[in-house]
Amino acid sequence: MTKENRIKIYAECALVGLLLLLAFHFLQERIVHHGLPTGDEGSWMSAAAEFARGNGFSTRWLEYLFLQHWTLPRPDDFRYPGLVLVLAAAFKCFGISLGTALGAVAAVFLTACGAAYLVWRKFFGVKTALVTLALTAFSLLQLYWNAQVYTEGLFGLVLSLLLLATVYLHPAGRAYWIAAGIIAGLLYLVRPNAVLFAPAIVFAGIWYFKTRKIPLWHSFLALGAMFAVMTPWLARSWLQFGNPFYIAGNAGLLSPSMNQTAGFSVGGFIGLHNGLLPLKALAKGFLNLTDTLNFFEHGLEILPLAFAAVALLQKRTFYNALAAAGFLLSFCACCYVGYARSWAAVRYLLPFMPFVYAYGVHAMIGLGEKASGRFFPRLRGMAAPFVLAVCLIPVVNPHRYYERTLAAAPKTDRCFAEYVSAITDLVGQNQTYCAGSLAQLNFLCNRNCVGIQAFFDSSKVDTVVARFRPKMIVVTVAEEKDPTMQAIQRGFQRTCGGLRLVAENSYGRYYMIGAEAKK
């Protein structure tokens, strides 16, 4: 290696390190001011904490949207194992705390950035890779969700590994398909929408068969490897729930709105909405998705996506056949989800965005170098810095990296009753997110909670106890006076052996049940 090449490599490493340090700085700002956990964070951390303690996926509570008559009561251990195992390992090494979980998620995201950089470098070259890494480090969308305890960063890391495998292995060999199948299976264990890579593998196999005469059975080899990785989790879900694909979205896959019942069979769904709703949902969902994406990215996405469209029109290669099929199917799924839940659609799309940005950035740099080479040859090398500067214009104001994050640091020495008050105050009277508040309480106070909503009748108590083995229930003030809810409480007393009031506030009353009630 020549001295000049060594200098280039050192300079590249220094730039990559600097960009990762910037990303770490922005993540750290959010972690320091994170506040109490919200949304699904407590659910992930509770499951991981129990796993770290050697109890498996054992914490339990009920969620509002999943208590309808068409679903079995489900424990929180529907949480897929990928993130749970990462968090559990961190808890085992550094102790169980919110700070440990946030640090683990941030570390995973930074590792994902490094792995993605290798993908971009291999496909598009150093210039595109550096610019895309900078956009990812400054992306408000990435920073917002990767400073919370969610799966986005881990999904991005495994997705990067999948693309790396398809870079360094040749599709003519069996190793390519086996590796792709194994990593796609691991991707599914992070988040179930990765199952879309199964048909993507088939499409890629057909493409390579037609274009390169690669045997079609190679794609079935990949499918076999993928489902071999998935099978233990599918079998476990089948044994516990009677459904191998038991996921959080089961109750909402056929629901066109948050307020409409999701208790349809496919035939009933088509009969009510006709077969055109999916097309309508895709079109409307696309508009909702782009609007919500712009909200989170503050315009950072505009030019990379515009030039990605230009690159498609120019018929530039989008990574490879497997990536193209997987990304396209995932994008369509996100558009459908965006019809009713655009914030969720953006989250599901988030790990794919940097790879799409890289595709657009590569086209931008190529056009810039072509234009400058023709009119200003001496400025040809400035195309990449110019593209980066232009893309960052929408987020040039430094305050944008701190808005919605500067809150008082949370107290960590509250007693149980104070946690009850703080958590429930976040929820108010919104029953939909009652379960989210119970999840936070589970993690912060090491209690296993069950929230019982008014439409949950007393005949289900035995089923709940058998499947959940709950240690705690929460009853709102209104429910406390309801005859049906009183019957449910009596059912818990009869089935579990007693109730004991341990805390109460303006929102509700908190009871320990069974053996816990006697302590």
Side-chain angles (χ1 to χ4, degrees):
M1 183 182 296
T2 65
K3 182 178 180 180
E4 182 180 356
N5 286 337
R6 283 199 300 270
I7 292 174
K8 287 182 179 180
I9 291 175
Y10 293 153
E12 181 185 353
C13 291
L15 287 172
V16 170
L18 176 61
L19 291 172
L20 291 177
L21 282 174
L22 283 172
F24 172 77
H25 165 70
F26 292 131
L27 285 172
Q28 183 65 16
E29 284 294 326
R30 284 158 170 73
I31 289 173
V32 168
H33 298 97
H34 183 277
L36 289 169
T38 58
D40 293 336
E41 289 182 290
S43 177
W44 287 109
M45 292 187 292
S46 292
E50 290 303 310
F51 196 91
R53 295 183 181 114
N55 299 326
F57 293 85
S58 61
T59 57
R60 299 162 197 280
W61 58 85
L62 301 178
E63 286 194 22
Y64 173 87
L65 294 176
F66 309 100
L67 291 176
Q68 312 290 353
H69 64 276
W70 62 87
T71 64
L72 289 172
R74 64 153 188 80
D76 71 296
D77 53 4
F78 84 94
R79 294 293 175 197
Y80 270 50
L83 181 61
V84 170
L85 295 178
V86 170
L87 293 176
F91 288 161
K92 198 74 173 178
C93 295
F94 304 105
I96 298 173
S97 71
L98 174 60
T100 298
L102 293 171
V105 170
V108 167
F109 171 65
L110 294 174
T111 306
C113 288
Y117 177 83
L118 297 178
V119 175
W120 305 326
R121 191 181 191 276
K122 182 67 175 180
F123 275 105
F124 303 122
V126 173
K127 294 178 183 178
T128 297
L130 286 172
V131 171
T132 308
L133 182 60
L135 294 179
T136 305
F138 283 88
S139 168
L140 289 162
L141 173 68
Q142 300 290 336
L143 295 171
Y144 182 81
W145 289 108
N146 285 290
Q148 302 182 63
V149 185
Y150 289 104
T151 58
E152 278 65 37
L154 185 59
F155 193 94
L157 174 58
V158 182
L159 180 63
S160 298
L161 296 178
L162 176 60
L163 292 180
L164 279 174
T166 61
V167 168
Y168 289 101
L169 297 173
H170 195 277
R174 298 177 185 177
Y176 175 98
W177 298 95
I178 294 174
I182 291 173
I183 301 174
L186 294 174
L187 195 63
Y188 176 83
L189 297 181
V190 176
R191 204 160 63 195
N193 57 296
V195 75
L196 294 171
F197 275 87
I201 287 171
V202 175
F203 293 150
I206 294 172
W207 174 265
Y208 285 128
F209 174 72
K210 288 188 173 182
T211 59
R212 303 188 188 184
K213 304 303 179 183
I214 294 174
L216 188 60
W217 66 265
H218 281 188
S219 62
F220 294 97
L221 190 65
L223 287 176
M226 180 179 180
F227 281 95
V229 174
M230 294 164 53
T231 293
W233 185 258
L234 297 177
R236 167 246 176 227
S237 298
W238 175 271
L239 292 173
Q240 289 205 8
F241 308 121
N243 183 348
F245 297 101
Y246 209 71
I247 60 176
N250 270 10
L253 290 177
L254 296 179
S255 174
S257 74
M258 287 292 287
N259 298 320
Q260 186 177 54
T261 179
F264 299 126
S265 64
V266 174
F269 175 81
I270 294 175
L272 183 64
H273 298 290
N274 73 55
L276 296 179
L277 179 65
L279 297 177
K280 176 185 175 182
L282 286 173
K284 181 67 182 301
F286 172 76
L287 297 177
N288 293 342
L289 177 63
T290 54
D291 181 64
T292 306
L293 178 63
N294 184 260
F295 168 79
F296 280 107
E297 282 284 47
H298 288 255
L300 181 71
E301 82 289 353
I302 295 174
L303 285 179
L305 291 183
F307 275 89
V310 171
L312 283 175
L313 293 175
Q314 293 178 334
K315 297 182 180 180
R316 292 175 180 258
T317 301
F318 185 83
Y319 299 95
N320 52 45
L322 177 58
F327 277 50
L328 180 60
L329 290 172
S330 298
F331 176 72
C332 291
C334 289
C335 287
Y336 182 82
V337 172
Y339 180 65
R341 304 167 180 85
S342 59
W343 59 270
V346 168
R347 275 190 56 204
Y348 302 154
L349 191 62
L350 180 154
F352 298 94
M353 293 306 296
F355 298 95
V356 179
Y357 287 177
Y359 182 62
V361 165
H362 182 61
M364 293 171 70
I365 293 176
L367 292 174
E369 289 180 341
K370 183 177 181 180
S372 60
R374 181 176 180 181
F375 300 105
F376 306 101
R378 294 183 179 181
L379 298 178
R380 190 174 186 275
M382 296 300 295
F386 177 76
V387 167
L388 176 60
V390 171
C391 288
L392 290 178
I393 287 176
V395 290
V396 71
N397 295 326
H399 79 274
R400 289 186 181 274
Y401 292 92
Y402 304 98
E403 65 186 9
R404 300 199 299 272
T405 66
L406 293 182
K411 295 180 180 179
T412 57
D413 57 351
R414 291 172 173 161
C415 67
F416 173 64
E418 288 177 324
Y419 273 126
V420 169
S421 178
I423 290 294
T424 55
D425 285 346
L426 293 175
V427 182
Q429 298 300 313
N430 189 334
Q431 289 285 306
T432 300
Y433 288 98
C434 176
S437 71
L438 300 183
Q440 322 313 335
L441 193 65
N442 277 341
F443 179 73
L444 294 169
C445 304
N446 190 26
R447 307 290 178 107
N448 294 337
C449 307
V450 125
I452 304 297
Q453 275 69 47
F455 54 80
F456 192 80
D457 64 66
S458 57
S459 66
K460 297 184 180 179
V461 170
D462 291 342
T463 306
V464 169
V465 171
R467 291 187 175 273
F468 281 77
R469 298 185 295 280
K471 298 179 181 178
M472 185 177 195
I473 63 171
V474 179
V475 182
T476 66
V477 172
E479 292 168 348
E480 187 81 19
K481 302 174 183 178
D482 182 80
T484 301
M485 298 309 300
Q486 292 173 356
I488 290 175
Q489 291 183 59
R490 289 194 295 271
F492 271 105
Q493 287 180 318
R494 180 190 69 253
T495 305
C496 301
L499 296 176
R500 177 169 63 90
L501 181 68
V502 292
E504 61 181 320
N505 58 13
S506 60
Y507 177 74
R509 311 187 83 188
Y510 295 69
Y511 294 94
M512 301 305 290
I513 63 177
E516 294 290 321
K518 301 175 182 177
K519 293 181 180 179

